[in-house]
Amino acid sequence: MARTGFFHHFGTFLLLAATVLLIVTCISAPVINDISIMKVDLGRPYMGPIKRVTFGTFGWCEVADGPDSCSSSHVGYNPTNVMRTIEGISFSNYAENTTKALTKAMILHPIACGLNFIAFLLALGAGLVGSFLASLVAALAFIVTVVIMILDFVTFSIIKSRINDAPTVSRAHWGSAAWTTLAAAICSLLGMIILFITCCSARIHKRRNRDLEPKNDYGVAAAPPRRRRWF
């Protein structure tokens, strides 16, 4: 791994970066109010104290002039009901049932985070076996990360389009947690590719060096000559 050491370490760093980025997504609202997958600026402060609604992985927060109000952290929630209660925006039964079901799949966020971290630990072991196992786990982590990224955008695209089309001044925007998931998927993909390439390259170099070793008449690598000791 000596010749590919830099690239191997870079791939390992990318897996660590993917882990950190997914941690940011996991601690979005209601854990940290200002980190969200999608945020809705109500734009009508005179109608009530709530200024913004932030939707995260395991819940939502109502950001107000005074103390913020957040839901408890749990798997699966109903974002359409939140906007219906606060803003009075109606959603179809299809939109409500779909988004409510898709939020239950957000449990994949910490799973993807854990897979990237396992791949990072395996890559730290260097060596051919460690790099190969790390690339396999990173491939699985990338698949899971892409799945949750698609689910995030599909889930909140339904709500975002309805809010922006409604006859109100409220506007929905993508939050930082949506982009950290996208960046994590890119880091996971690049880390997987780099680790797999460095693993194959190290194996080729090892085989080439073995072929260049001097062999005796029986095709076995000759032992290096012993040094004479002078007493």
Side-chain angles (χ1 to χ4, degrees), residues 65-84:
D65 292 328
D68 297 340
S69 175
C70 296
S71 67
S72 60
S73 297
H74 53 274
V75 179
Y77 61 97
N78 192 346
T80 58
N81 186 53
V82 176
M83 293 308 303
R84 183 187 301 113

Side-chain angles (χ1 to χ4, degrees), residues 131-145:
S131 296
F132 181 70
L133 291 177
S135 61
L136 291 181
V137 178
L140 179 60
F142 167 69
I143 294 173
V144 177
T145 306

Side-chain angles (χ1 to χ4, degrees), residues 122-166:
L122 290 173
L124 284 180
L128 293 176
V129 177
S131 296
F132 181 70
L133 291 177
S135 61
L136 291 181
V137 178
L140 179 60
F142 167 69
I143 294 173
V144 177
T145 306
V146 168
V147 169
I148 61 174
M149 181 190 67
I150 294 173
L151 291 178
D152 287 348
F153 280 101
V154 169
T155 301
F156 291 104
S157 288
I158 298 173
I159 304 173
K160 180 175 177 290
S161 61
R162 179 68 186 96
I163 293 173
N164 292 339
D165 292 339

